[in-house]
């Protein structure tokens, strides 16, 4: 079982390396993000232990590069930061687990063994409707190869529409998937966000793929030949 450990705390990294070696792991160590990213590209690993705060390139950037290169080896993030946003960002970029320093070595080993048993997950499917693509791992949206910048709410709505492409979905269905139960606003908020999306995914390309179906709701169609008309 081969492990890549990327941590700039030299004493801690050496202690973890010795412990993992005693547990039967083969361990490669890097003390900066640039070296860690290079090792992850050049070698096959069963699991990667990746510190968040690294010189040269931080853990977020290393993880993002790995996933962009379709390297799906399980990654456990290590960090001294304990904020929920740090954890969310790590998971959004494709991390598989998260430990906050200081941590129990026994817990680290148990989690690494669990990740190795689980193995590398299959690459998540990119959602697409013709030239419009949404990558749920990279959290990117592109049309004709051009990256589109969406707000978090726009992204969630578009993801739901793509999951139900070519189908009519009501305002209520969109609200149920994009707003929580405490939201007390009108369904008309959906119209506002649909308008925002059209300005970003359709208008710059001369398209009308986000259609209004009168009295029923909305439908996202492909811009390829043979797609349903308005």
């Amino acid at each position: 079982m081969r492990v890549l450990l990327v941590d700039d705390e030299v004493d801690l990294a050496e202690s973890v390396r010795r412990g993992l070696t005693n547990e039967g792991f083969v361990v490669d160590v890097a003390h900066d993000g640039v070296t860690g990213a290079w090792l992850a590209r050049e070698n096959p690993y069963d699991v990667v232990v990746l510190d968040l705060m690294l010189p040269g390139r931080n853990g977020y950037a290393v993880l993002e590069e790995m996933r962009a290169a379709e390297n799906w080896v399980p990654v456990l993030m290590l960090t001294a930061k304990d904020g929920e946003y740090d954890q969310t960002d790590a998971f959004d970029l494709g991390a598989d687990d998260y430990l906050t320093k200081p941590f129990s070595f026994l817990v680290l080993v148990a989690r690494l063994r669990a990740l190795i048993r689980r193995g590398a997950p299959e690459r998540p499917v990119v959602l697409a409707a013709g030239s419009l693509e949404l990558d749920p791992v990279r959290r990117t949206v592109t049309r004709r190869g051009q990256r589109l910048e969406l707000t978090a709410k726009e992204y969630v709505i578009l993801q739901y529409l793509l999951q139900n492409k070519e189908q009519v979905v009501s305002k209520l269905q969109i609200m149920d998937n994009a707003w929580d139960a405490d939201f007390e606003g009108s369904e008309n908020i959906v119209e506002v966000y649909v308008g925002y999306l059209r300005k970003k995914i359709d208008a710059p390309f001369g398209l009308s793929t986000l259609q209004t179906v009168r009295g029923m709701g909305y439908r996202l169609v492909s811009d390829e030949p043979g797609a349903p008309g308005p």
Side-chain angles (χ1 to χ4, degrees), residues 20 23 25 76 97 99 104-117:
L20 291 177
E23 292 289 332
F25 293 91
L76 183 148
D97 204 351
L99 267 182
S104 162
F105 178 75
L106 293 178
V107 171
L108 173 65
V109 172
R111 292 197 178 185
L112 292 182
R113 293 191 188 281
L115 288 174
I116 291 171
R117 286 196 301 270

Side-chain angles (χ1 to χ4, degrees), residues 131 133 142-147 205:
S131 63
E133 296 186 346
T142 59
R143 169 147 262 163
R144 297 176 182 172
Q146 179 179 329
R147 184 160 178 168
F205 305 93

Side-chain angles (χ1 to χ4, degrees), residues 67-204:
R67 296 316 190 215
E70 300 188 4
N71 181 348
W72 305 111
V73 61
V75 173
L76 183 148
M77 299 294 289
L78 282 182
T79 180
K81 303 175 72 175
D82 192 22
E84 61 180 13
Y85 291 109
D86 300 312
Q87 298 182 43
T88 300
D89 289 343
F91 286 129
D92 280 347
L93 288 172
D96 300 277
D97 204 351
Y98 191 103
L99 267 182
T100 303
K101 298 177 180 178
F103 55 85
S104 162
F105 178 75
L106 293 178
V107 171
L108 173 65
V109 172
R111 292 197 178 185
L112 292 182
R113 293 191 188 281
L115 288 174
I116 291 171
R117 286 196 301 270
R118 189 187 312 166
E122 293 184 4
R123 187 190 191 287
V125 175
V126 173
L127 301 173
S131 63
L132 180 65
E133 296 186 346
L134 182 150
D135 189 322
V137 170
R138 301 175 192 172
R139 293 187 68 82
T140 58
V141 177
T142 59
R143 169 147 262 163
R144 297 176 182 172
Q146 179 179 329
R147 184 160 178 168
L148 310 179
E149 298 298 330
L150 304 186
T151 66
K153 189 66 70 180
E154 291 165 355
Y155 180 94
V156 170
I157 294 172
L158 180 61
Q159 185 174 31
Y160 179 69
L161 290 167
L162 282 166
Q163 289 168 338
N164 295 275
K165 66 180 180 180
E166 316 292 351
Q167 302 178 44
V168 178
V169 293
S170 68
K171 290 181 182 178
L172 183 58
Q173 287 175 305
I174 294 174
M175 289 192 71
D176 285 344
N177 282 271
W179 280 269
D180 60 37
D182 294 329
F183 180 72
E184 297 180 351
S186 165
E187 288 183 12
N188 291 334
I189 190 67
V190 176
E191 294 180 22
V192 175
Y193 276 93
V194 166
Y196 293 157
L197 278 173
R198 283 176 173 148
K199 290 178 181 178
K200 294 183 177 181
I201 71 172
D202 277 345

Side-chain angles (χ1 to χ4, degrees), residues 50-79:
L50 181 61
D51 191 29
L52 177 59
M53 304 303 293
L54 293 167
R57 187 177 302 171
N58 65 34
Y60 290 139
V62 174
L63 177 58
E64 187 172 21
E65 178 181 319
M66 291 173 61
R67 296 316 190 215
E70 300 188 4
N71 181 348
W72 305 111
V73 61
V75 173
L76 183 148
M77 299 294 289
L78 282 182
T79 180

